Amino acid sequence: MAEKKDLVVVESPTKARTIHNILRQSVHVVATMGHIRDLPQNEFGVDIQHGFQPTYKILPGKHKIASQLRQLAKQYPNIYLATDEDREGEAIAWHAAVVMNKKEEEVKRVVFHEITPEAVKSAFLSPRTISRALVDAQQARRILDRVVGYTLSPFVSNYLTRGLSAGRVQSVALRLIVEREKEIESFQPQNYWKIRARVERENLVFFLELVSRDGEKLPALAFQTQESVEEVLSELGKGSLVLAEKNESQRQVPPPPPFITSTLQQEASTALGFSATKTMQIAQQLYEGIPLGLTGTIGLITYMRTDSPSVAQVAQKEARDFIVESYGSEYVPSRPPVYQARQPAAQEAHEAIRPTSVHRTPEKVKFYLSQSQLKLYELIWKRFLASQMKSAETRHIRITAVNGRYDFEAEQVRVIFPGFTVVYPTRIERGDDWPADLKPEQVLSPVEYVAEATQTKPPPRYTEATLIRTLEKFGIGRPSTYAPILATLLDRRYVRRQKRTLIPEKMGCAVIELLTKFFPDVIDVEFTARMEDQLDRVAAGEIDWLTMLTNFYQAYKPVLDKAYSHSQEIREFLSKYLAEGQRCPRCGAPLVLRKSQYGIFLGCSQFPKCRFVQSKNGQSSTSSCPKCGSDLVLRKGRYGQFLACSAYPRCRYTRKLTSHAHHSGHRPEAEPDRAAPPGKV
């Protein structure tokens, strides 16, 4: 363990207090408050011509902490960097060492998956050196995102509105949302009918569905006209419905795996209504430590940025013992389950998200947690315990009935052993009840044939949960990026929430139309997934980060140059896209795209005779100031666009059009949206 009064560097004050509570007087713990150095906020900061050399600067507000670290580094012989165990944490540790003027071999790196006395003390017994591969992977991501962000952002801002942003991953996520909206808008519903047999027998009513004709399975849209339905009903009315087969089988419903970052965000969104950002903020609090009275401050969950569902053997044993004590030995599988990562390159952490001890049940800790903390902890606790339990067992009874050339089926499901569902309920479709004495060759009567009219439905809009699931499916982004991606899209007003669904705004659609036309490969799903794979290979030490960036830029730069050479084509394209078919509500003349120093807007083509204008978000103005009668003009301030009287300062009338929300996280896990003049890249 750390020697007397060694220096320990972590990211947050909460984590610092928890570790100090564990190691007591043997260490001095200091928090960096997240990243301490990063690429500069208001300049490009990457020298592409000299090997993508980054320029790192102390972040605003961090100079005092940096000075403190340098002074402390002179006082303590042993320095332990105990930042988080993923790439971002490795980079924070490396930057801290640089700030303290220490070589990598002069500091000790410790990592732990959970902040408990056992895990922390064990980690300090076996420190390692800083992993250059992990640092290089994080650095490559930052530079890659900076290059793309600082070239695409000014591109869209130049032709649309100042202050817009585009990014390597965020634009792909936005593209998914926009393209789904297009699918919905272009969707043409189809009418079709389902035919079912309604049977009454021994005071029970149950239904069988028509599934095949002449031995061939019927497609979902087999009956699309009233005439075809009436023809079938007429045939069925001439015959009898006879039970042909009755089969029984038993199946197992396996428990879900313990949470990883993406599944935690999805389930918290679905079950609790939490945004991805809120989920990660609360999970961070549970991980870094909660004061538990006389017990002291303890981390309640393991590290929450992970894409690995594996579980430590000691945690599995504890869970199995707890299950035996609480539910009985019949709920424990013969062998501990093994779960495989969805992504073959799972690497952000080496274990799933789980409680640091199943004995700290939600009931025992609820008095120390806020309502939101308790809800999320209970979700994590139950999911982990369920993952270590036996599968549920169900009995499936399927009956097949025949009427001439038509076959009908129905299925009944009964739970015969609840297994993990006693902890983590799972919906199981039960089907209708029917008499237990049904046997083949029985005539089912009385019977009524029912035709139910319905329509095909468009694909659903994305929610935060389904968007994260899709990003994960395609290998886009990593655990630390999902929440910042969603926050950026919402904060930039590219999308809005409506009853949990994500709907693209007009400006978001315009950005994607522009990027898709001139940068189709850069915001391509497969291309972005390949880049993530390349970053994973850098982290694994398989490829050099500089080679990876060079290969990317050699393909990207010609596309960028070509796009900037099509200025007139771009303006014509956007004018047609944004103004096509829209007319002035005041005089009926066509609206045209105009641009001022404050950005683009739609204005009446009869200007100055008609002064109607419409902002980029579709908000309109009257032609005159309600106070003095002068013209209103579009202006832009620090809080967004607004309408102002043209007689300012004599008349100070204003009306707000838009506002901008701001997001700040625990640490900058995704490239912030900034713009630089294209000539600087």
Side-chain angles (χ1 to χ4, degrees):
M1 205 183 86
E3 300 173 8
K4 181 70 173 176
K5 282 295 180 182
D6 292 334
L7 179 64
V8 178
V9 179
V10 297
E11 302 101 322
S12 76
T14 301
K15 187 174 179 180
R17 286 192 294 271
T18 306
I19 291 178
H20 187 269
N21 180 63
I22 292 171
L23 300 180
R24 301 295 179 181
Q25 302 304 315
S26 63
V27 295
H28 178 84
V29 189
V30 62
T32 65
M33 306 295 289
H35 274 279
I36 194 167
R37 284 200 326 162
D38 200 2
L39 296 174
Q41 291 191 349
N42 297 313
E43 56 184 280
F44 186 43
V46 178
D47 188 346
I48 294 177
Q49 304 305 321
H50 295 85
F52 293 89
Q53 184 65 37
T55 298
Y56 292 112
K57 293 185 177 181
I58 303 296
L59 288 168
K62 297 296 182 71
H63 289 277
K64 184 176 179 181
I65 297 174
S67 178
Q68 180 188 15
L69 282 175
R70 279 191 288 268
Q71 293 300 318
L72 291 171
K74 298 174 183 177
Q75 302 173 26
Y76 296 92
N78 294 314
I79 300 173
Y80 292 85
L81 304 174
T83 50
D84 292 343
E85 64 173 320
D86 60 1
R87 300 175 195 174
E88 208 74 27
E90 203 73 20
I92 293 174
W94 176 68
H95 284 297
V98 173
V99 166
M100 291 186 290
N101 297 317
K102 293 291 184 181
K103 297 178 181 179
E104 294 179 19
E105 60 269 19
E106 294 179 317
V107 295
K108 301 175 182 179
R109 178 79 169 105
V110 292
V111 294
F112 30 79
H113 192 63
E114 58 188 67
I115 307 180
T116 58
E118 298 80 9
V120 171
K121 292 176 181 177
S122 175
F124 276 86
L125 289 174
S126 54
R128 60 170 173 81
T129 58
I130 291 175
S131 169
R132 283 301 314 181
L134 293 180
V135 172
D136 287 346
Q138 190 274 346
Q139 182 169 248
R141 178 186 289 277
R142 291 292 285 147
I143 294 173
L144 181 63
D145 289 345
R146 177 58 62 99
V147 170
V148 175
Y150 262 64
T151 50
L152 291 190
S153 293
F155 180 79
V156 297
S157 295
N158 184 49
Y159 294 105
L160 291 171
T161 298
R162 287 190 304 176
L164 294 182
S165 70
R168 184 180 61 88
V169 180
Q170 94 178 37
S171 296
V172 177
L174 178 59
R175 183 178 184 176
L176 291 171
I177 297 171
V178 170
E179 290 184 345
R180 175 60 58 85
E181 195 68 19
K182 286 182 179 179
E183 289 181 55
I184 295 171
E185 290 174 353
S186 63
F187 180 79
Q188 297 294 326
Q190 289 183 276
N191 295 321
Y192 69 100
W193 280 260
K194 290 182 178 180
I195 298 176
R196 299 198 299 168
R198 181 181 182 274
V199 181
E200 293 185 24
R201 192 179 182 91
E202 298 179 14
N203 297 321
L204 291 174
V205 177
F206 57 98
F207 290 85
L208 296 91
E209 186 168 349
L210 177 59
V211 294
S212 63
R213 176 171 52 191
D214 296 329
E216 293 187 5
K217 186 175 180 62
L218 290 167
L221 305 182
F223 306 110
Q224 299 185 39
T225 65
Q226 186 73 47
E227 293 75 13
S228 64
V229 171
E230 290 177 354
E231 181 182 338
V232 172
L233 293 179
S234 176
E235 278 192 69
L236 292 172
K238 298 175 183 178
S240 299
L241 188 66
V242 180
L243 187 66
E245 292 182 358
K246 181 180 180 182
N247 299 313
E248 290 191 18
S249 62
Q250 288 190 197
R251 303 177 192 172
Q252 292 192 336
V253 181
F259 284 129
I260 57 177
T261 303
S262 59
T263 54
L264 175 62
Q265 292 173 350
Q266 292 166 37
E267 191 66 14
S269 174
T270 302
L272 307 178
F274 288 0
S275 68
T277 299
K278 180 177 181 178
T279 297
M280 295 309 290
Q281 288 173 343
I282 297 172
Q284 186 88 34
Q285 296 163 9
L286 296 174
Y287 165 71
E288 291 186 342
I290 300 294
L292 301 180
L294 296 177
T295 305
T297 302
I298 295 292
L300 292 184
I301 66 170
T302 54
Y303 192 53
M304 64 285 154
R305 292 181 181 88
T306 175
D307 46 16
S308 171
S310 63
V311 178
Q313 290 184 359
V314 62
Q316 285 189 319
K317 183 180 185 308
E318 183 185 63
R320 291 169 69 84
D321 292 343
F322 182 88
I323 293 166
V324 171
E325 295 169 8
S326 303
Y327 301 96
S329 59
E330 65 272 23
Y331 284 88
V332 181
S334 57
R335 294 180 180 178
V338 176
Y339 297 102
Q340 298 295 324
R342 296 182 182 180
Q343 298 295 332
Q347 43 68 41
E348 291 295 348
H350 304 295
E351 197 177 345
I353 304 169
R354 60 169 175 80
T356 53
S357 173
V358 293
H359 293 291
R360 283 190 279 271
T361 64
E363 185 67 25
K364 289 181 179 178
V365 301
K366 67 180 182 180
F367 300 107
Y368 306 102
L369 303 178
S370 68
Q371 187 176 17
S372 294
Q373 288 173 336
L374 178 60
K375 286 180 178 179
L376 191 65
Y377 180 69
E378 185 173 32
L379 191 68
I380 294 170
W381 186 89
K382 287 184 174 181
R383 177 75 167 234
F384 169 68
L385 195 65
S387 74
Q388 303 303 304
M389 299 178 76
K390 263 189 178 179
S391 299
E393 295 180 17
T394 55
R395 177 182 292 116
H396 294 248
I397 305 173
R398 180 180 291 273
I399 57 174
T400 302
V402 178
N403 183 339
R405 43 197 293 243
Y406 298 97
D407 296 337
F408 292 78
E409 287 184 356
E411 186 175 60
Q412 185 184 91
V413 181
R414 295 293 178 265
V415 177
I416 56 179
F417 177 67
F420 73 93
T421 63
V422 297
V423 173
Y424 200 80
T426 297
R427 183 179 177 183
I428 298 174
E429 295 290 344
R430 296 177 56 87
D432 294 333
D433 288 324
W434 56 65
D437 62 352
L438 288 182
K439 296 179 180 178
E441 300 185 4
Q442 285 181 335
V443 176
L444 300 177
S445 61
V447 64
E448 175 188 12
Y449 296 101
V450 180
E452 299 176 347
T454 186
Q455 280 187 332
T456 56
K457 295 180 180 180
R461 287 189 173 109
Y462 283 110
T463 63
E464 286 201 9
T466 56
L467 181 62
I468 290 171
R469 187 178 303 125
T470 303
L471 292 173
E472 183 188 34
K473 172 186 174 183
F474 289 125
I476 299 170
R478 284 299 180 260
S480 63
T481 64
Y482 298 131
I485 288 169
L486 286 162
T488 299
L489 295 180
L490 290 164
D491 290 349
R492 291 287 176 180
R493 305 258 175 139
Y494 288 161
V495 302
R496 71 180 187 274
R497 281 197 194 95
Q498 183 175 299
K499 296 182 179 178
R500 295 193 183 184
T501 62
L502 300 173
I503 303 176
E505 297 282 17
K506 184 69 173 178
M507 186 54 66
C509 294
V511 168
I512 290 304
E513 288 291 334
L514 186 60
L515 294 178
T516 302
K517 184 173 179 62
F518 294 97
F519 296 91
D521 293 335
V522 177
I523 62 168
D524 176 68
V525 168
E526 292 185 5
F527 170 81
T528 307
R530 287 197 300 271
M531 296 309 298
E532 293 293 351
D533 180 65
Q534 293 285 301
L535 290 168
D536 290 342
R537 294 182 64 191
V538 172
E542 297 175 2
I543 60 174
D544 177 65
W545 69 278
L546 182 56
T547 301
M548 176 219 150
L549 289 174
T550 301
N551 291 339
F552 161 78
Y553 195 71
Q554 286 176 347
Y556 175 68
K557 187 61 164 60
V559 176
L560 181 68
D561 293 340
K562 182 179 179 181
Y564 271 103
S565 69
H566 288 72
S567 298
Q568 184 59 34
E569 181 185 350
I570 293 170
R571 289 189 176 92
E572 292 174 357
F573 167 75
L574 286 175
S575 182
K576 182 179 179 181
Y577 174 75
L578 293 173
E580 186 175 28
Q582 297 195 54
R583 291 189 170 271
C584 174
R586 294 181 60 83
C587 70
L591 294 181
V592 295
L593 189 70
R594 299 190 185 281
K595 186 172 183 180
S596 72
Q597 60 177 315
Y598 304 107
I600 63 166
F601 63 94
L602 295 178
C604 183
S605 58
Q606 295 299 308
F607 178 87
K609 182 179 178 181
C610 178
R611 295 177 177 273
F612 174 83
V613 296
Q614 180 173 292
S615 77
K616 68 184 185 218
N617 287 325
Q619 295 170 291
S620 305
S621 79
T622 58
S623 59
S624 60
C625 172
K627 280 191 174 183
C628 71
S630 300
D631 292 337
L632 291 178
V633 293
L634 280 170
R635 298 197 183 280
K636 186 174 182 181
R638 61 183 299 185
Y639 300 112
Q641 283 192 324
F642 63 94
L643 288 169
C645 182
S646 59
Y648 177 87
R650 178 171 55 83
C651 177
R652 295 178 177 269
Y653 174 82
T654 61
R655 184 168 84 243
K656 184 167 67 172
L657 284 176
T658 61
S659 61
H660 293 280
H662 296 276
H663 169 74
S664 59
H666 174 67
R667 51 185 190 168
E669 296 162 322
E671 173 61 35
D673 305 308
R674 310 179 183 109
K680 289 193 175 183
V681 179

